[in-house]
Amino acid sequence: MAIKAAIKGVGGYVPDYVLTNAELEKMVDTNNEWILERTGISERRILKGDKGTSYLGARAVENLLEKTNTKAEDIDLIICATVTADMHFPAAANMIAHQVGAKNAFSYDINAACSGFVYALSTGSQFIETGRYKKVVIVGADKMSSIVDYTDRTTCVLFGDGAGAVLLEPTEAEEGVMDFVLKTDGAGEPHLHMKAGGSLLPPSHQTIDDKLHYIYQEGMHVFKHAVVSMADVSAEIMERNNLGSDDIAYLVPHQANKRIIDATANRMGVGEEKVMMNIHKYGNTTAATIPLCLMDYENKLKKGDNLVFAAFGGGFTWGAAYIKWAY
């Protein structure tokens, strides 16, 4: 029998501090009604103090290990999807592995923005399918507050901090990561990026003065591409696997904007009762949104449920995965 990679557990972590729409009203020219109507977000979590993304990721992995009764030293590989690693190097995944005591794991990061978790899950599943590794942890973690300009009302209302993680293990049953479709179009770079801090524009007084170390997003352009792209790959993954809307237990979409989520669900023919949604309380946590949805809905999932993950991110990157729930 062919080996597949099954999700055998979910963990997550969000910081305690809640940034509400009411608080944002005092910081920038915005209001609760405007934010809710355009994004569906009521509040988001913010990591305060001198802690980075690895702290978020490590807490999510610790939660995962506790829930699955897994020893840290038994983990073979940790992949962290993030755009806000603590530093350019070492990788956030390396720091997470060290913090949780996964001393036998090798680890690395994947940078695919909001599609990062789907990319990382697809990558990690193949290490399991080869038969080489038995326990692979996929982490989606971002401290988006570290790259948000809280004087820019178009972006500061969108993002929050958080982390989620899943454990992949081998199975010979017809379950787990069944299929995936991944896409990239570098022509999207001008519309969603962070200009400075890399080799093209290293940090300088000028880049700081010009606020080039924050997220830059052309909202309407990104919105139009996200709606089409997430819907297209979700429809493609269903068609490739002969799945009708009645066959889907849940759509698990990236939590960027409620209107994008609704458009993807409509294209799939899936009703709102079959859409995982927590954007209202966490905002857009980038690579963490999909695993945080799994954490929040875990007790509603049943063995054999068909799930479709769908995401779209800067770059542009987008993708979908078909998962058959394993527990």
Side-chain angles (χ1 to χ4, degrees):
M1 294 287 291
I3 297 172
K4 286 189 168 59
I7 295 176
K8 291 299 183 76
V10 179
Y13 174 81
V14 291
D16 293 332
Y17 187 87
V18 178
L19 177 60
T20 64
N21 290 349
E23 187 173 350
L24 282 170
E25 287 178 352
K26 301 174 184 176
M27 297 165 61
V28 292
D29 181 17
T30 191
N31 61 73
N32 180 61
E33 292 73 22
W34 187 93
I35 297 169
L36 278 176
E37 180 185 341
R38 286 163 176 77
T39 69
I41 302 169
S42 297
E43 56 189 41
R44 61 292 289 148
R45 301 298 184 94
I46 303 296
L47 182 63
K48 296 287 191 175
D50 57 348
K51 299 182 179 72
T53 291
S54 68
Y55 176 87
L56 297 168
R59 302 294 80 74
V61 173
E62 286 171 348
N63 178 241
L64 171 68
L65 298 180
E66 181 181 353
K67 287 171 64 178
T68 58
N69 196 28
T70 301
K71 295 179 180 178
E73 56 267 29
D74 291 340
I75 300 172
D76 299 306
L77 165 63
I78 296 176
I79 304 175
C80 180
T82 187
V83 293
T84 57
D86 295 30
M87 50 193 77
H88 277 304
F89 63 89
N94 299 5
M95 301 173 80
I96 292 167
H98 176 67
Q99 290 177 42
V100 303
K103 57 186 179 182
N104 296 314
F106 80 100
S107 53
Y108 62 90
D109 289 353
I110 282 182
N111 179 337
C114 299
S115 307
F117 183 79
V118 175
Y119 274 43
L121 181 74
S122 305
T123 303
S125 68
Q126 294 173 84
F127 281 95
I128 295 283
E129 290 169 8
T130 64
R132 188 84 179 265
Y133 298 104
K134 306 297 184 187
K135 293 184 185 296
V136 173
V137 171
I138 308 299
V139 186
D142 272 299
K143 184 183 177 181
M144 296 306 293
S145 62
S146 66
I147 58 170
V148 166
D149 178 2
Y150 284 97
T151 67
D152 177 8
R153 68 174 187 168
T154 64
T155 56
C156 73
V157 303
L158 301 174
F159 296 98
D161 304 337
V166 299
L167 174 65
L168 296 178
E169 292 184 335
T171 179
E172 293 184 353
E174 277 297 299
E175 61 189 21
V177 181
M178 309 297 288
D179 194 13
F180 50 85
V181 178
L182 306 175
K183 305 279 188 178
T184 300
D185 184 358
E189 174 268 323
H191 310 292
L192 179 53
H193 59 257
M194 188 175 77
K195 285 184 173 68
S199 59
L200 180 63
L201 283 176
S204 66
H205 283 295
Q206 190 65 49
T207 63
I208 294 170
D209 291 344
D210 292 343
K211 295 187 173 184
L212 301 184
H213 295 267
Y214 295 124
I215 299 164
Y216 172 81
Q217 177 172 280
E218 295 174 7
M220 188 52 65
H221 191 95
V222 173
F223 176 85
K224 290 177 180 177
H225 277 266
V227 166
V228 173
S229 299
M230 274 181 61
D232 281 353
V233 288
S234 299
E236 181 179 347
I237 204 87
M238 289 175 67
E239 184 176 344
R240 277 169 47 147
N241 293 278
N242 299 311
L243 295 170
S245 56
D246 290 342
D247 300 316
I248 304 298
Y250 282 102
L251 165 65
V252 192
H254 168 55
Q255 308 285 300
N257 182 300
K258 188 176 184 300
R259 292 185 294 169
I260 297 173
I261 294 170
D262 290 343
T264 303
N266 289 338
R267 176 73 179 277
M268 294 171 62
V270 171
E272 195 171 278
E273 74 282 357
K274 288 186 173 185
V275 180
M276 289 192 188
M277 192 102 65
N278 59 15
I279 189 173
H280 57 288
K281 59 181 180 177
Y282 300 140
N284 182 352
T285 55
T286 307
T289 64
I290 288 176
L292 283 175
C293 275
L294 295 176
M295 178 186 75
D296 283 355
Y297 283 77
E298 185 180 17
N299 62 356
K300 297 183 179 181
L301 293 172
K302 303 185 299 294
K303 185 177 175 67
D305 278 351
N306 293 318
L307 310 180
V308 173
F309 298 175
F312 180 90
F316 290 137
T317 63
W318 66 102
Y322 165 35
I323 311 298
K324 190 175 282 289
W325 200 247
Y327 66 95

